[in-house]
Every structure is written in C-alpha cells, then in structure tokens.
Amino acid sequence: MPENIEELVQSALAHAQEAGELPAFDVADCGIERPADTSHGEWTSTVALRSAKLAHQAPRAIAEAICRHLELGGAVEKVEVAGPGFINFYLSPAAKNAVFGTVRAEGADFARSNVGGGQKVQVEFVSANPVGPMHVGHGRWVAIGDSLCRVMEHAGYDVEREYYINDHGSQMDVFGGSLSVRYLQLVSLMRDRGMSLAEAHAALEADRVAFVDDEEGARPEEHPFQNAFMEALGGNAYGGGYIIDEAAHIVEVDGERWVDVADGERVAAFRENGYRRMLDDIRTTCEDAHCTFDVWFSERELYVPDDHGDTAVDRAFKKLDEMGYLYRKDDALWFRSTDLGDDKDRVLVKANGEYTYFASDVAYHWNKFQRVDHVIDIWGADHHGYINRVRCVCDALGYPGRFEVLLGQLVNLLRSGKPVRMSKRRGTMVTFRELLDEVGADAARYTLISRSSNQMIDFDIDAVKEKSNANPVYYVQYAHARICSILRRAAGLSAEEADALGMDEVARRAIGDEVDFALLTDPTELALARKLSELEELIASCARDRAPFRLTHYAEELAGAYHAFYHDCQVLPSEGRPVDAALSRARLAACDAVRIVLALVLDLVGVSAPEVM
C-alpha cells in the first residue's frame, strides 16, 4: 500500500505542475509514513514539507495543490491536508481489511521482504569456551543471535549461524589439569577411606561448597580438598562443581586406569575427553533452546599446517606483512593498528614465541570474509575494548565497513525479586541448562530477548514461570491458543481431530471460501487490521537495526488488540447472542489471520505457538 500511495502522490504532483499550480521540481521520495495517531488516517505524506524550498511556497499550499489533483477511489476513501502540510490518506474498510486475506493466503511467508537483497551475512554468537557448561548470559546470546538470524532471513538476507569453538590455548590445558586433580582426589578418597564413588563425589562437593561459603578464608580446615585443588594448579583452575561431575564420570568409565599415567599424558587425555563432552553439552543445550548452528568452527583449524607447512595464522600474517602492517620490536611481532585508528599497536606473537589471543582473531576473521559478505559478531559488553583492534584488522585485510559487533549486557537473575547469588570466580552459577529445565525454553527465550541487547535484563525465575496474563509469553501464547479453540469449535472438531488435520485445514473447514472483509467495521476489527499491516515494515526495521526484541513488544500489542476484539465482537453465535453468518465468517477469518501472525512472530523469536493451553 505505501507504494500505491507514493504513485498517487507522484502522479498528482506531476499534474499540479502541468497545470501551472506548482513550479517544476523533482522529489525522489514523497515521504510516505504511517501516522502514530490513527485519527490521522492510515498513511501520510510529507512531500509538501520536503519540497517547500524547491517550490518556494508554503508547505500547506503545496499540499493543497497536490490534493486537488489526487485521483481518489478504490482503496483511498478520503484525503485531507493537516497541520503545516501533511497529506493524510484514509482507506476504505475493504482496503484496510484486505490484510486479513493476504495473511491467510501467504501464511508463514507473510511480511517477507527483500531488504537484505540476498546479502550473505554471518552471525557469530555464543562461542562459549568448551571448558564448562553455558551460563545464563550465554543463553541470552542464544536468544538474541538466533532470533536476529530468523528475522534477517525473513527480511531477505542469506544468513549463516556460526559458533566459534575456543579450543586452542592455555585455557584448554587448565581445563585438563582441573579434571586431572579432581580425578586423583576422587580415587584417593575411594582408596584411602574406602568410600564409594558416590560418597567421594559428595565429599568433594561438600568441601567445595564450604570453600564458597567461607568467603574470607577464615576456616581453611573446612575445605582442605578445595584448597589442595587450587594449590596444585597455582590458583589457575576451573572450580565449579561440574569439574567434580566430569572427573567422577571418568572414574565411572575408566576406574583407576589413569592414576599411574604420567601427569602430562593424563591431562592431555582428560582435556580431550572433557572437551568433547562439554561441546556435546553446549550443542544439545542450544538445540533444546531452539537454536541450531550452520557452522561449528574450531580455533584449532587455524593452526593446522597445509601442504606447504603454513597455517591459516601464518597466511594471514603474510597478507598483513605484504601490506606493510607488521613489524618486529623487542623480539615480538606487532600489528600496526594505529595506522587504522587504534589507540595503540597490538602484539600478535610475544617475545617468547607464544601467539596472543588476537592472533587467532586475525586469521579467523580473514577466514570469515572468504565465505560471506558481511560479519556480525555478538559479544558480551566486557569485550567493548576489543572491537577497535578487530575492526582495524578487517579494514587492513580489505573489508572496511563489513565488520559489525553487537554488544550484549548481562542478565540479573532473580527469584521472587531477590538476586540469585553467583560467583564466576568460585564456580557458583546457574547454568543455562538449569534455567531451561526450570522455566522451559519458550519462557526463557522470550524473556531473554524482550529487551535490547544493550540493556541489562532482570530475569525473575518465579515471575517467568507464572501462568497468568501478567507473564508476557503466556499472554501471547494464550491468545494463539484461544483462537485455535474458537476455530475448532466453529469446525466442530476435538483437539485431537484438529491436531491430526493441522490448524490451516481446521480454519478452512470453519470459515469456507467466501469471506466479505468489508463487513468488519468495528474499531477493534480495524485496529487488528492495522496492527497486522505493520508487520512487514517492523520486521524490515528489526533486521536493519539488529533489534529483534521489538517483535516481543509487537506480539504483546497484537495479543492485546485481539483480546479487545474478542471482548467487543461476537465471533460465534451463542444462546441469546446471534451473529449474522457472513459476519461470523469474516470475524473467524480475522481470527485466523491473527493466529497465523502470532505463530509467525513467535517463531521469529524462537518460541512455540501452542494450540491448546
């Protein structure tokens, strides 16, 4: 419809100029917008305000001249000039309500656009180190990243989801060492004290909890095993309870096989075994949160030599060197990032020959741009200072303006309004898996994406679990389920019969083929049509602005508009409340359109649309 209004205004402008009422000038964009106040019509044009300087006339005079030459009829019922020169367009009920039929015809493809123009975009998100389970913050990146991908795909982008596995570097050895020490402690308890594996596990966990509770370290005698664990690893350890769990798994599978093996061999074996199990857990947790990745990229691949003995890191360094961006100083290899706007140059290889973490990022982002046109990384807000150096290397490699970072703020986890105590240093946290198990994937995802990524979010576990209209996800899902119930009743089908047929077929049987949407004139019916017609523009803006959270607001507004309609408009006849058959069919069709859009929007944020609640 905005395209049609644009054509009407352009044509009227041309006729006004031909008639000598306006001077000759060109306007590329007539500024067709949707007014915030519905009393100002369905669409407005700001062309008169935009062209006042070109025409050397007052905007209102320009608007009035254009209006005199507008060819009304069909969809446009009325037009008027308002304020300083806005041209407001009022559509006929049939034109307003045509969106109901469009939604039912297009189904899940409704509101698709080609804003992205097929651009191949890679979104890399989560990328938690495979040395432990995902925490709730990672869960937020799951919700934001996957929802952004879904929205961008609907808006015409070719999207690739990628998980970067940080499986190279010292943190992997620390992980293996942590497992090794815990394994030896478990075996020692079983040998020396005659404990079962379960008893030994419980003893270490109780000792770890005592360490966590002893914040000031005033009672070291209450947690000797945790003290020994930290001392054995020089304080550089993964201290969470999951390390004890993983060590117990090794004992359960291999028994005492690894006790007399050399420390280095044991650490290496445990590192690889634990790495695979952690990665499997991350993968299944993401899938259970309705998120699957197209690519799982291992950092280790960047250090695998090719047939010429060169790694991806070597090749990236060679490229930068050829372009004059590398130099040596104090026996270290440096990237001359200050030439590209960074505040200081960055070390790639230390004087001792050790690669920095940034070295991997250089090769990894170069690899990305061999595969896609544009890169979006989603990072935690604590990585803000890292953005500029990566941008500089992308610019240096020949991809200016094609690297983008979205920063995400943390999650404040609450229970009945009170903060849940967590400490990353001491290994006490609520995992994303635990959150999913307690509140469910739908409630978790919806809540985690309900605010902009650059805002902190309060996640109250008890409030999110509540099954009432005060809970936004329940409120939206209930609207969808209510519509499904109405359609089943209209079709004379049970929930089981409807499930076997599918809701599209249920709707077809309930409504039939002949629908007169012009019958829908109640303000609540027109409000539903307007809300549905906003979706394509909204999805496009969500994709452009990388802001999928707006869809949760839209879903709640649409659910609210539907509940208001249901309250004011009788859909099916009941005792003492007859409804004209044609009007009932039109209202059922409107219900069906809302059902389709609610399901679509929920799917775009990775949430299910239940048919029964």
Side-chain angles (χ1 to χ4, degrees), residues 65 75 110 122 139 149 164 194 217 221 232 366 381 439 460 515 525 528 531-532 547 560 581 586 605 609:
F110 176 68
Q122 184 219 77
C149 291
Y164 181 52
E221 71 281 357
W366 192 32
V439 308
D460 192 312
V515 179
E525 295 166 334
L528 275 182
K531 183 56 63 175
L532 296 182
V605 295

Side-chain angles (χ1 to χ4, degrees), residues 33-95:
E33 302 170 0
R34 192 184 294 277
D37 187 342
T38 57
S39 67
H40 295 159
E42 283 64 56
W43 297 98
T44 191
S45 171
T46 58
V47 64
L49 302 171
R50 291 167 176 247
S51 58
K53 290 184 178 180
L54 296 173
H56 302 291
Q57 291 187 23
R60 190 172 179 92
I62 298 171
E64 289 171 346
I66 291 173
C67 284
R68 285 194 291 272
H69 292 273
L70 280 170
E71 298 179 5
L72 302 184
V76 180
E77 190 173 69
K78 183 178 73 169
V79 64
E80 67 178 20
V81 177
F86 295 99
I87 304 175
N88 295 336
F89 293 82
Y90 297 79
L91 304 185
S92 67

Side-chain angles (χ1 to χ4, degrees), residues 167-380:
D167 54 6
H168 180 273
S170 60
Q171 82 276 2
M172 297 303 298
D173 291 328
V174 172
F175 177 54
S178 300
L179 290 172
S180 176
V181 174
R182 285 304 196 191
Y183 169 83
L184 292 176
Q185 287 182 331
L186 286 170
V187 172
S188 176
L189 286 172
M190 294 168 67
R191 278 183 174 180
D192 300 343
R193 303 192 186 182
M195 291 184 176
S196 67
L197 176 58
E199 290 169 335
H201 183 286
L204 288 188
E205 179 59 18
D207 178 272
R208 188 189 71 83
V209 171
F211 172 82
V212 171
D213 292 339
D214 185 16
E215 294 186 18
E216 303 300 324
R219 301 182 302 279
E221 71 281 357
E222 296 182 8
H223 41 79
F225 293 105
Q226 185 76 22
N227 293 341
F229 171 74
M230 300 299 290
E231 289 170 8
L233 295 160
N236 190 16
Y238 290 101
Y242 72 92
I243 293 292
I244 302 174
D245 298 339
E246 289 302 308
H249 172 77
I250 297 171
V251 175
E252 187 175 16
V253 173
D254 291 344
E256 299 181 11
R257 170 188 167 191
W258 297 99
V259 172
D260 298 321
V261 171
D263 287 348
E265 182 181 347
R266 184 190 318 110
V267 168
F270 287 5
R271 178 189 64 210
E272 295 309 301
N273 179 274
Y275 160 61
R276 287 191 296 272
R277 284 175 53 79
M278 286 295 105
L279 193 58
D280 285 345
D281 179 68
I282 290 170
R283 194 189 306 268
T284 56
T285 300
C286 288
E287 289 173 352
D288 289 345
H290 310 155
C291 171
T292 57
F293 288 89
D294 303 305
V295 178
W296 293 78
F297 190 99
S298 168
E299 183 182 359
R300 293 178 178 181
E301 293 181 21
L302 301 172
Y303 294 88
V304 176
D306 61 15
D307 294 339
H308 303 289
D310 294 327
T311 67
V313 174
D314 295 331
R315 293 189 293 273
F317 286 1
K318 182 179 179 182
K319 173 79 169 176
L320 290 174
D321 194 32
E322 290 172 349
M323 300 174 74
Y325 286 113
L326 298 189
Y327 67 94
R328 288 198 172 272
K329 177 185 176 183
D330 300 329
D331 296 325
L333 183 65
W334 295 74
F335 170 53
R336 203 185 303 275
S337 54
T338 51
D339 286 1
L340 297 150
D342 201 359
D343 58 344
K344 62 181 179 180
D345 291 344
R346 305 293 175 174
V347 178
L348 294 172
V349 183
K350 300 176 185 178
N352 63 4
E354 181 183 338
Y355 289 97
T356 63
Y357 188 80
F358 183 49
S360 294
D361 271 336
V362 170
Y364 177 45
H365 283 82
W366 192 32
N367 177 283
K368 290 186 180 196
F369 283 113
Q370 312 308 305
R371 298 180 275 135
V372 298
D373 302 319
H374 191 84
V375 167
I376 300 173
D377 288 358
I378 301 180
W379 296 348

Side-chain angles (χ1 to χ4, degrees), residues 34 93 95-100 524-534 558 594:
R34 192 184 294 277
K96 296 176 189 177
N97 296 334
V99 67
F100 292 127
T524 61
E525 295 166 334
L526 298 175
L528 275 182
R530 180 184 175 91
K531 183 56 63 175
L532 296 182
S533 68
E534 293 173 0
L558 178 57
V594 175

